[in-house]
């Protein structure tokens, strides 16, 4: 047998093994084309092919002893079920796609986990990706998932025109939109009460004596941002408080833009005495800005944030239930797949005001 003894390289200290081992001397490489089949499992276990199929697919009609032998053969050979063949037979892939806005946003963590748990309970695999708030990327990702024959889609939309999905819907791809509604098509959607939650948060500040209240939100084309701005305006109007243009700022949520907007509202002879922030990313930046102020400014944020209760004062928030959003959307998706849903519906979940101190500060002037 032509094998050479490994040697040490005095210069590098690395151990060198000359490539002289013949291909036939190596362990079989099963990564490509040599995967064990059900026939291999049947031969090793000493049973028929149908028996292996029943064990692999969880079907009845196999004695415990036979099932044990088959399972031992499966484990020994490293057999994996060929799901591609099952797709051809059943027309279902047992997989669903989730299109998120931003995988790094903590809001989407519990939402994604809830969708995954529902999918797992239905024996389905979850495949997710991020649109990065880009409508073109959202379309590309959603259609790529459809091309891989997912059974359904849960979409947090970045765009406002989803007619590109019409052929997929007609082909039977179940689809539910979550957090924001679909644009220009009829589809199930599961939302939070963004308008009502923002109105309640601003009304809370008004109830504590504030009249000059700023609003800093996301880009106005986004449904949630527009609804939260509408809630802010309605709360101010209900209280008979005219809103100045300088009190409102919508745009990208990067820290530089938000910091500039907050500092501008807090400057001048008549600065705002309170700020309502439109989402968790805005809230975090505004907290940093307020920490640099010599006077105390009230704050209520939309979306809860980690460690909000440990700050001094704690941060008062309008909280969404991200997990319930995801779970409700996924459950509707599987009801579509089961054929129990026909007419698309819009479901709106309530928000909750959590008081911790920052929203209860009275105005200093």
């Amino acid at each position: 047998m032509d094998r050479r003894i490994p040697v040490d390289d005095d210069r590098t200290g690395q151990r060198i093994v000359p490539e002289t081992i013949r291909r036939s001397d190596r362990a079989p490489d099963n990564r490509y084309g040599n995967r064990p089949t059900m026939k291999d499992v049947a031969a090793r276990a000493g049973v028929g092919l149908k028996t292996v199929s029943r064990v692999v697919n969880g079907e009845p009609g196999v004695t415990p002893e036979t099932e044990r032998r088959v399972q031992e053969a499966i484990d020994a050979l490293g057999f994996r079920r060929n799901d591609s063949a099952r797709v051809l037979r059943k027309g279902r892939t047992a997989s669903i796609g989730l299109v998120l806005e931003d995988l790094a946003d903590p809001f989407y963590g519990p939402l994604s986990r809830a969708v995954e748990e529902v999918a797992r309970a239905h024996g389905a695999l979850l495949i997710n990706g991020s649109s990065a708030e880009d409508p073109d990327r959202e379309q590309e990702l959603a259609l790529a998932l459809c091309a891989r024959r997912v059974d359904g889609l849960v979409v947090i939309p970045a765009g406002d025109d989803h007619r590109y999905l019409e052929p997929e819907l007609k082909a039977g791809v179940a689809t539910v939109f979550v957090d924001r509604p679909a644009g220009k098509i009829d589809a199930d959607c599961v939302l939070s009460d963004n308008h009502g939650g923002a109105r309640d948060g601003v009304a809370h500040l008004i109830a504590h004596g504030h009249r000059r209240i700023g609003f800093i939100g996301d880009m106005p084309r986004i449904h949630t941002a527009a609804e939260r701005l509408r809630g802010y305006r309605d709360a101010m109007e209900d209280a008979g408080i005219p809103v100045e243009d300088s009190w409102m700022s919508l745009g990208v949520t990067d820290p530089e833009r938000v910091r500039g907007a907050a500092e501008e509202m807090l400057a001048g002879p008549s600065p705002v005495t309170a700020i309502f922030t439109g989402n968790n990313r805005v809230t975090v930046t505004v907290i940093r800005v307020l920490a640099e102020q010599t006077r105390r400014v009230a704050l209520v944020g939309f979306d809860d944030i980690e460690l909000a209760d440990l700050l001094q004062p704690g941060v008062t928030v309008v909280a969404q239930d991200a997990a319930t959003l995801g779970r409700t959307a996924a459950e509707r998706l599987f009801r579509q797949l089961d054929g129990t849903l026909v007419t698309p519906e819009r479901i709106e979940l309530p928000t909750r005001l959590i008081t911790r101190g920052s929203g209860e500060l009275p105005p200093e002037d």
Side-chain angles (χ1 to χ4, degrees), residues 104-332:
D105 190 328
F107 173 76
Y108 295 118
L111 188 154
S112 177
R113 178 64 180 271
V115 173
E116 184 176 22
E117 288 175 350
V118 174
R120 184 178 180 185
H122 286 81
L125 175 70
L126 177 67
I127 308 169
N128 62 31
S130 170
S131 70
E133 202 59 70
D134 181 344
D136 292 335
R137 187 166 170 178
E138 173 215 303
Q139 178 174 338
E140 179 183 354
L141 178 57
L143 292 179
L145 290 167
C146 290
R148 284 157 179 76
R149 298 188 65 182
V150 294
D151 298 322
L153 290 173
V154 176
V155 181
I156 298 172
D160 56 6
D161 186 348
H162 294 93
R163 288 176 292 182
Y164 70 85
L165 279 174
E166 285 181 337
E168 310 301 332
L169 297 175
K170 290 177 182 177
V173 178
T175 304
V176 178
F177 290 79
V178 63
D179 191 43
R180 307 165 188 173
K184 300 181 181 180
I185 63 170
D186 290 327
D188 271 319
C189 63
V190 182
L191 317 170
S192 292
D193 183 6
N194 294 284
H195 169 265
R199 184 185 57 204
D200 292 345
V202 175
H204 184 72
L205 291 168
I206 294 170
H208 284 81
H210 295 277
R211 294 297 179 269
R212 300 196 302 275
I213 303 171
F215 175 87
I216 304 177
D218 209 332
M219 293 180 287
R221 67 173 177 80
I222 298 174
H223 170 81
T224 50
E227 284 295 285
R228 292 167 195 176
L229 175 63
R230 188 167 69 90
Y232 162 82
R233 284 183 169 279
D234 284 352
M236 298 291 274
E237 183 179 349
D238 291 344
I241 302 173
V243 176
E244 297 184 15
D245 290 342
S246 60
W247 295 353
M248 297 176 292
S249 178
L250 282 84
V252 294
T253 58
D254 68 85
E256 184 177 355
R257 200 283 300 182
V258 174
R259 171 175 283 276
E263 289 176 346
E264 187 174 340
M265 291 179 186
L266 294 168
S270 299
V272 298
T273 62
I275 296 178
F276 183 82
T277 51
N279 66 31
N280 52 2
R281 287 166 290 185
V282 175
T283 303
V284 170
T285 300
V286 170
I287 288 171
R288 293 192 170 104
V289 174
L290 295 184
E292 302 165 1
Q293 298 293 307
T294 56
R295 63 190 180 91
R296 304 192 84 178
V297 177
L299 171 67
V300 174
F302 204 109
D303 291 334
D304 207 354
I305 58 173
E306 191 174 5
L307 305 181
D309 56 328
L310 299 182
L311 297 172
Q312 291 297 327
V315 183
T316 296
V317 298
V318 175
Q320 304 183 77
D321 191 338
T324 299
L325 278 170
R327 184 167 52 253
T328 303
E331 287 172 349
R332 288 195 68 81

Side-chain angles (χ1 to χ4, degrees), residues 35-49 51-53 55-56 66-81:
R35 293 177 179 173
T37 66
M38 283 202 292
K39 288 183 180 179
D40 298 325
V41 174
R44 186 180 183 96
V47 298
L49 193 60
T51 300
V52 177
S53 176
V55 173
V56 168
T66 300
E67 183 177 357
R68 181 188 62 77
R69 294 207 322 270
V70 171
Q71 192 59 54
E72 286 178 352
I74 288 172
D75 294 340
L77 293 171
F79 170 79
R80 294 291 180 270
R81 183 176 66 187

